[in-house]
Amino acid sequence: MTLDQNKTPLYDAVKYHVKRNAVPLQIPGHKHGHGLEEYREFVGENVLRMDLNETRGIDMIWDPVTVIAEAERLLADSLGAKFAYFLINGTTSGVQAMIMSTCKPGDQIILPRNAHKSIFNGLILSGANPVYVQPEVDDYLSIVTSIRVESLRQAIDKNPAAKAVMAINPSYYGVAPDLRIIVSTAHERCIPVLVDEAHGTHMGFHAHFPVSAMAAGADMSAASLHKTGGSMTQSSALLIGNGKINPNYIKQVLNLTYTSSPSYILLCSLDVARKQLATRGTAMLERVLELAGWARKEINQIEGLFAPDKKYFEQSGHFSFDDTKLLVNVRKLGLTGYEVEEILAKDYNILIELADMYNILAIISLGEQKEYLEAFVKALQNIAAHAGGKEIKQIETVQFYPEVVLPPRQAFFSSKKSVPLEECAGEIAGEMVMVYPPGIPLVSMGEIITADIIEYVKMLKAEKCTLQGTTDPIVDNIMVLDI
């Protein structure tokens, strides 16, 4: 049966309830904003009227049977999935549910080492043991790209009892693996494939993009509609792609961490974003690609800057690229990416998504405006014109291979002590140390901290990079296992 993607059942039900203007003798306690007047004056009355508790007629997220159930069926249909579940704790909750529903304590899961912290937290919650696949490095850009199929195949051969394979599609930088082959390689061994698609919700709606998880035949994926699909921050979806995964068990796992007080504002944004993608997504993304292409062309005409496109990454034959990720290498300006990010924010009032030693990253998405990109290009032209022009000496891209001494869950529950950063070499990490964004741990719980990692952390601190995951916010000390 063909579903009508013009429908927004949950959004319509909530709008009806707002217009009904029922006497609210229930929570939330602000009572349509009357108890939060300053906030209501700024955000508007409708937003606070949509801030509902579980109420007759608007369904319940943890056991939906009416409008939420219908909205989830529409979402699954639009994304090519068999089942879909709304998430309002971000893709983090979906990633953790995927791991917990396929891995029990002690089971092995094969995953890229450049995974997001949510995956590492999923290991702690599930008790699964990681088998890392090291991703490739682009030496010119000095970024980690993605894993090659050959590396995955070797990991499966060495660990045939693994219960799942995790893939990232695409990376924060926009690089995507050969996902179809990854899926078929794992399925040959009857291993399910889970996909962190936090940055790729839009990819299934236009042929130019790398293949989406569902189109590639993945068993499950978690997609951040709020990142690239148009919904509000914190709203995402968990997708099931075939009949091999029990949807009822998935729901049980989700219910372990679901809030009992969901935000219908976020849920409605998912319903409307899905409708928009399903009915107008291709045309909207065509415009986005045109804008991204224009900006990339202009930036590549600025001396000292390089913005790679899909063709650049496809040369290797192993990877693809999402052209809505506007990656700009700035090394030849004599400035670091961190410095360019700071200049853009302070001098031009322009906020970008990410910076590293040699690059900056801007995200081009559904709501993009030409004037935003014109301002960005003009700012880069001015920065380049006044830069020193002495190319920064490129440091070899740091890719650590930390030794896993204890499973993350065991390390998490072990006794810990605080040790000065300078004295941590040889210690077992009791917490994660990560650059955020993108949220990829340099060292994770249960791994040996090496002298190289310490030196790299010191360099990042000197560049005023944002480091997270540590109890000490300035990372002068790290929690290590007290054994």
Side-chain angles (χ1 to χ4, degrees):
M1 181 179 67
T2 302
L3 301 183
D4 183 0
Q5 289 291 342
N6 285 290
K7 296 176 66 177
T8 50
L10 175 59
Y11 182 49
D12 291 346
V14 170
K15 284 195 297 182
Y16 170 80
H17 191 82
V18 169
K19 292 176 181 177
R20 177 185 173 194
N21 197 26
V23 175
L25 300 181
Q26 56 181 182
I27 57 175
H30 60 70
K31 304 294 177 108
H32 297 169
H34 296 295
L36 199 62
E37 291 185 1
E38 180 182 349
Y39 189 68
R40 183 178 64 174
E41 287 175 5
F42 184 78
V43 303
E45 187 172 328
N46 277 349
V47 171
L48 287 159
R49 286 182 175 274
M50 290 176 68
D51 187 26
L52 300 166
N53 189 32
E54 308 82 44
T55 297
R56 184 187 302 272
I58 59 173
D59 214 353
M60 298 182 179
I61 191 171
W62 58 88
D63 189 21
V65 292
T66 57
V67 290
I68 291 179
E70 184 181 357
E72 289 181 333
R73 284 193 295 270
L74 287 163
L75 180 62
D77 179 67
S78 70
L79 292 170
K82 189 168 184 179
F83 298 96
Y85 300 112
F86 285 161
L87 305 174
I88 50 172
N89 191 26
T91 297
T92 290
S93 60
V95 165
Q96 293 171 353
M98 289 194 295
I99 297 173
M100 293 170 68
S101 61
T102 52
C103 298
K104 294 180 174 60
D107 285 346
Q108 292 179 319
I109 179 171
I110 299 172
L111 66 150
R113 184 56 181 80
N114 63 324
H116 185 263
K117 69 172 185 175
S118 62
I119 295 177
F120 290 87
N121 288 338
L123 299 177
I124 294 170
L125 291 171
S126 67
N129 296 333
V131 174
Y132 294 124
V133 179
Q134 292 296 338
E136 300 295 305
V137 169
D138 184 291
D139 290 327
Y140 183 80
L141 297 171
S142 293
I143 65 168
V144 175
T145 54
S146 189
I147 62 171
R148 292 176 59 168
V149 175
E150 292 82 356
S151 300
L152 173 65
R153 188 174 286 116
Q154 290 173 9
I156 293 175
D157 288 342
K158 292 179 181 178
N159 303 275
K163 297 300 182 181
V165 166
M166 175 70 75
I168 302 170
N169 189 53
S171 71
Y172 210 143
Y173 289 101
V175 185
D178 193 339
L179 193 58
R180 282 195 174 95
I181 304 301
I182 285 176
V183 170
S184 63
T185 299
H187 283 178
E188 287 171 3
R189 303 291 187 89
C190 299
I191 302 175
V193 177
L194 321 175
V195 181
D196 176 354
E197 208 160 52
H199 296 274
T201 299
H202 61 293
M203 296 195 311
F205 294 93
H206 196 288
H208 180 81
F209 296 113
V211 65
S212 70
M214 292 296 99
D219 298 271
M220 286 191 282
S221 72
S224 296
L225 272 81
H226 72 91
K227 284 185 170 70
T228 65
S231 66
M232 293 182 70
T233 295
Q234 201 173 312
S235 58
S236 297
L238 178 61
L239 309 175
I240 302 177
N242 53 50
K244 298 178 183 178
I245 303 292
N246 183 345
N248 294 323
Y249 183 58
I250 297 293
K251 193 63 178 174
Q252 284 184 320
V253 174
L254 280 174
N255 283 341
L256 290 174
T257 56
Y258 259 159
T259 175
S260 60
S261 303
S263 167
Y264 282 87
I265 298 170
L266 301 184
L267 292 173
C268 284
S269 79
L270 283 168
D271 205 15
V272 177
R274 180 271 314 155
K275 171 188 172 181
Q276 178 175 265
L277 284 170
T279 59
R280 298 193 292 125
T282 300
M284 294 180 73
L285 289 165
E286 182 68 28
R287 173 182 170 275
V288 170
L289 285 167
E290 289 176 1
L291 289 172
W294 173 84
R296 188 171 278 110
K297 181 179 177 181
E298 294 293 316
I299 290 169
N300 280 326
Q301 292 175 4
I302 302 172
E303 187 174 355
L305 299 182
F306 172 57
D309 61 6
K310 188 177 181 182
K311 290 181 181 178
Y312 173 86
F313 289 98
E314 288 183 340
Q315 293 178 78
S316 69
H318 301 288
F319 308 123
S320 187
F321 183 67
D322 172 9
D323 274 329
T324 67
K325 309 298 190 289
L326 188 52
L327 178 64
V328 184
N329 186 272
V330 301
R331 177 166 45 93
K332 289 187 176 181
L333 296 183
L335 298 169
T336 67
Y338 303 121
E339 290 171 328
V340 174
E341 177 189 31
E342 185 173 11
I343 294 169
L344 285 168
K346 288 187 174 180
D347 296 348
Y348 298 94
N349 200 29
I350 294 174
L351 303 178
I352 59 171
E353 181 65 22
L354 175 149
D356 62 28
M357 274 296 294
Y358 309 107
N359 305 281
I360 58 173
L361 178 69
I363 302 296
I364 316 302
S365 57
L366 297 175
E368 204 58 62
Q369 302 296 305
K370 181 72 174 289
E371 63 191 72
Y372 297 166
L373 294 178
E374 289 172 339
F376 183 51
V377 169
K378 185 175 181 180
L380 290 178
Q381 290 170 337
N382 291 340
I383 292 170
H386 295 91
K390 185 178 180 181
E391 181 175 349
I392 289 180
K393 182 180 178 182
Q394 186 169 0
I395 303 170
E396 183 179 352
T397 303
V398 178
Q399 189 173 15
F400 301 111
Y401 301 86
E403 179 185 356
V404 181
V405 179
L406 289 176
R409 182 180 178 87
Q410 185 178 344
F412 179 81
F413 287 108
S414 296
S415 297
K416 302 179 182 71
K417 61 183 178 181
S418 179
V419 172
L421 175 64
E422 298 276 4
E423 301 173 16
C424 282
E427 299 281 0
I428 302 172
E431 59 188 0
M432 286 186 277
V433 183
M434 73 190 85
V435 185
Y436 206 96
I440 298 168
L442 303 173
V443 64
S444 188
M445 295 181 193
E447 297 177 350
I448 295 289
I449 303 172
T450 64
D452 287 344
I453 291 173
I454 292 171
E455 290 305 310
Y456 193 62
V457 170
K458 288 165 62 177
M459 183 273 290
L460 293 172
K461 289 179 61 179
E463 294 295 337
K464 299 180 181 179
C465 179
T466 301
L467 292 168
Q468 290 191 359
T470 52
T471 304
D472 177 5
I474 58 176
V475 201
D476 283 341
N477 292 271
I478 296 178
M479 299 297 294
V480 301
L481 267 56
D482 189 10
I483 56 176

